[in-house]
Amino acid sequence: MARNIITGFHAIEERVRRALENSDASGYSLSYSKAGPRVKKILQLAKEAGINASQVDEKSLDSLVQNLPQTARDHRGLVLAIEGGKEEAQNSVDFDSWVAEHSVSEKPARVIILDSVTDPHNVGAIFRSCDQFGADLVVMPSRRSANDFSDNEIIARSSAGSSAWVPATVVTNLSRAVKQLKAAGFWVYGADAGGTSIQKVNFAAKSAVIMGSEGTGMSRIIKEDCDEIISIPTCGKIDSLNVSVAAGVLLYEMYRRTL
């Protein structure tokens, strides 16, 4: 039976909270070495959720995380194990159903589309901004992207646990997904240098913003699908912002205008 190992206080706490809210902690177990203030808080949540917690030594924790990516091995004295293999993400959304629902709704909505963003640190940071600034959906392609938001320790840690909450979907054809959003009344913006300054953009109530890959930006076909190309005015000496930083700025700007 496969085992999913989670590290990072934020990521573990959000998984435990989700188990508590869903009244389903089957296969969950916590291992800890020292019960500091943050660990005690998580242990209390785990107790409420019915999750077994065991105090072990540091070597035992090191053994649990030895097969994780290097950046996820820093367990800081707490590890969550989920038996039974890859769990279905509770925030996973069926794209077609989501679009169908919003096509008949006048309610404002903000969608972030990631075009071949492959660095899980960036994906996690974008999830965190989506949580803080109220994005309604993250869309990722099934190919050429870090899209395993339900079972990737780096994404979970970089998102401070928000990858367990923000609605997200993986699609097989990103261009077709963009066209579906447009047909449902969304105005699609592509983030790219040389576009209209966001200071001059009046974001539509139903907006979708495409963020391109770390190295080459949006693919040609996806760029052609956009209704408008937008950019963030800057004053630095380098030529561009990191994709996760740019996504955070754009999300904040859209959020700020709703206040």
Side-chain angles (χ1 to χ4, degrees):
M1 182 178 292
R3 173 188 279 183
N4 187 18
I5 301 296
I6 308 297
T7 61
F9 289 160
H10 283 294
I12 290 174
E13 183 174 347
E14 293 307 325
R15 290 294 183 108
V16 172
R17 286 186 184 279
R18 195 169 73 192
L20 178 60
E21 290 189 0
N22 294 331
S23 300
D24 182 10
S26 56
Y28 282 54
S29 62
L30 272 174
S31 299
Y32 67 98
S33 57
K34 296 180 181 179
R38 188 67 186 278
V39 172
K40 285 182 179 179
K41 177 183 176 183
I42 295 172
L43 290 175
Q44 180 58 40
L45 283 172
K47 182 178 180 181
E48 295 173 16
I51 297 172
N52 181 61
S54 302
Q55 188 166 19
V56 300
D57 57 28
E58 289 286 326
K59 288 185 178 179
S60 296
L61 295 180
D62 292 341
S63 177
L64 284 171
V65 304
Q66 63 182 348
N67 293 324
L68 297 181
Q70 184 64 45
T71 55
R73 294 179 196 168
D74 180 17
H75 51 71
R76 297 173 64 191
L78 184 68
V79 175
L80 173 65
I82 305 173
E83 302 286 353
K86 182 179 175 180
E87 58 174 353
E88 179 68 21
Q90 298 299 309
N91 56 324
S92 179
V93 171
D94 178 79
F95 181 73
D96 291 338
S97 299
W98 192 93
V99 171
E101 177 184 344
H102 285 78
S103 67
V104 294
S105 172
E106 296 299 323
K107 183 180 178 181
R110 291 189 289 271
V111 176
I112 293 295
I113 302 170
L114 307 185
D115 179 14
S116 302
V117 179
T118 58
D119 187 336
H121 294 93
N122 283 331
V123 173
I126 290 170
F127 264 99
R128 189 170 187 173
S129 293
C130 286
D131 173 63
Q132 290 297 297
F133 301 128
D136 297 281
L137 183 66
V138 178
V139 180
M140 295 166 284
S142 58
R143 297 176 62 240
R144 297 189 299 275
S145 76
N147 57 41
D148 197 359
F149 60 94
S150 68
D151 193 32
N152 187 301
E153 291 80 9
I154 296 176
I155 292 176
R157 288 166 67 94
S158 300
S159 73
S162 58
S163 61
W165 295 105
V166 177
T169 188
V170 177
V171 298
T172 56
N173 188 314
L174 198 61
S175 179
R176 183 170 63 224
V178 170
K179 290 179 173 65
Q180 285 178 257
L181 285 166
K182 292 172 72 170
F186 282 81
W187 191 262
V188 177
Y189 304 90
D192 199 22
T196 303
S197 169
I198 57 173
Q199 295 173 328
K200 301 178 181 178
V201 175
N202 293 317
F203 288 101
K206 294 163 73 170
S207 295
V209 177
I210 302 174
M211 307 303 303
S213 69
E214 296 90 342
T216 59
M218 288 180 291
S219 60
R220 178 188 58 80
I221 189 170
I222 295 299
K223 192 171 184 178
E224 291 175 353
D225 287 331
C226 295
D227 294 306
E228 187 173 1
I229 302 299
I230 60 176
S231 64
I232 301 168
T234 59
C235 61
K237 293 181 174 59
I238 61 174
D239 60 354
S240 64
L241 294 169
N242 171 278
V243 63
S244 64
V245 174
V249 172
L250 289 169
L251 283 162
Y252 172 72
E253 183 65 17
M254 289 190 287
Y255 171 73
R256 180 186 67 81
R257 299 186 191 190
T258 67
L259 298 176

